[in-house]
Amino acid sequence: MSRAIRRNSLTEQATDALLDYIAERQLGEGDSLPPTGELAATFEVSVPVIREAIAALSGIGLLRRQQGRESVVAAPGATHLSRLLTLRVAHAAVEDDAIQQYREVVEVGSARLAASNRSEESLRELDDALADLRAVADDESLHAADIAFHAALARASGNDLFVLTIDALQPLLHRLRRRVWSGWVNSGGDLTSIVEAHATILERVRERDADGAARAMTDHLAQARLGLDVLSGHVGDSPARD
């Protein structure tokens, strides 16, 4: 059976070549690339192709173009990743259940690492986040405080990938939290039990109890799972949870 062979465009090849160039030379944030003419000669393509490749990498935050000067290497932040993930999720019709599964894997690991790696500064940030959570006055402030607590926990983990991905997923997680909260309230759940679940996570982190922090996060996410199942009408299909 014959199979079609897809050929990448010159721009795509030049984009990949630029990424390899940056990696091979270990260029970091703020380092300049050679002029476009020099890059074009290096990769044996036209200057317009190099400009298109630079534009593509600038669009995803890996390069920063400067008027009249060479482009410089940039470090894409959570905003760039958030845009990509939001578009990807919308295009692929990713359901809330998949986002919840992500939380159940990543945030348990984040809590475990936070207990092992937390500093006094990160504990103060978590204390402040918990205080904000205790003081919420409405649903929107609840969701904002909840997101802030989990983001602080990711920073306490010391793992930049946790921080980046959790920050980038905030718009999607905010949407999920609104649905989960609605289901949680419909199931008879209240704010006090949610706040205390966060307090338990923080105490396990404070005590450097990695296993305990992971269990506390698992228990908290079971609250979120129940809320989601109630809203989806799948409570009877879900295994019993303690």
Side-chain angles (χ1 to χ4, degrees), residues 147-228:
I147 287 172
F149 181 92
H150 287 268
L153 193 67
R155 287 189 287 275
S157 76
N159 187 305
D160 287 341
L161 279 178
F162 283 161
V163 176
L164 179 62
T165 56
I166 289 175
D167 281 352
L169 282 169
Q170 280 192 16
L172 299 174
L173 293 173
H174 188 272
R175 182 194 78 187
L176 176 66
R177 279 175 167 86
R178 294 181 67 178
R179 297 200 67 218
V180 161
W181 176 245
S182 178
W184 176 250
V185 171
N186 289 342
S187 74
D190 58 16
L191 175 60
T192 299
S193 55
I194 295 294
V195 172
E196 291 312 308
H198 286 81
T200 301
I201 294 168
L202 175 52
E203 285 311 303
R204 299 292 86 78
V205 169
R206 193 187 311 277
E207 294 168 2
R208 296 192 184 276
D209 180 359
D211 290 340
R215 284 194 300 271
M217 179 61 78
T218 299
D219 291 343
H220 167 50
L221 293 177
Q223 295 174 316
R225 169 61 68 180
L226 176 59
L228 188 59

Side-chain angles (χ1 to χ4, degrees), residues 120-140:
E120 291 304 314
E121 181 180 356
S122 62
L123 283 179
R124 286 192 292 272
E125 184 181 10
L126 284 164
D127 282 330
D128 290 343
L130 182 62
D132 290 342
L133 193 57
R134 292 190 186 280
V136 297
D138 53 47
D139 288 357
E140 286 308 306

Side-chain angles (χ1 to χ4, degrees), residues 231-242:
L231 202 62
S232 304
H234 294 153
V235 174
D237 300 331
S238 300
R241 293 181 174 87
D242 296 332

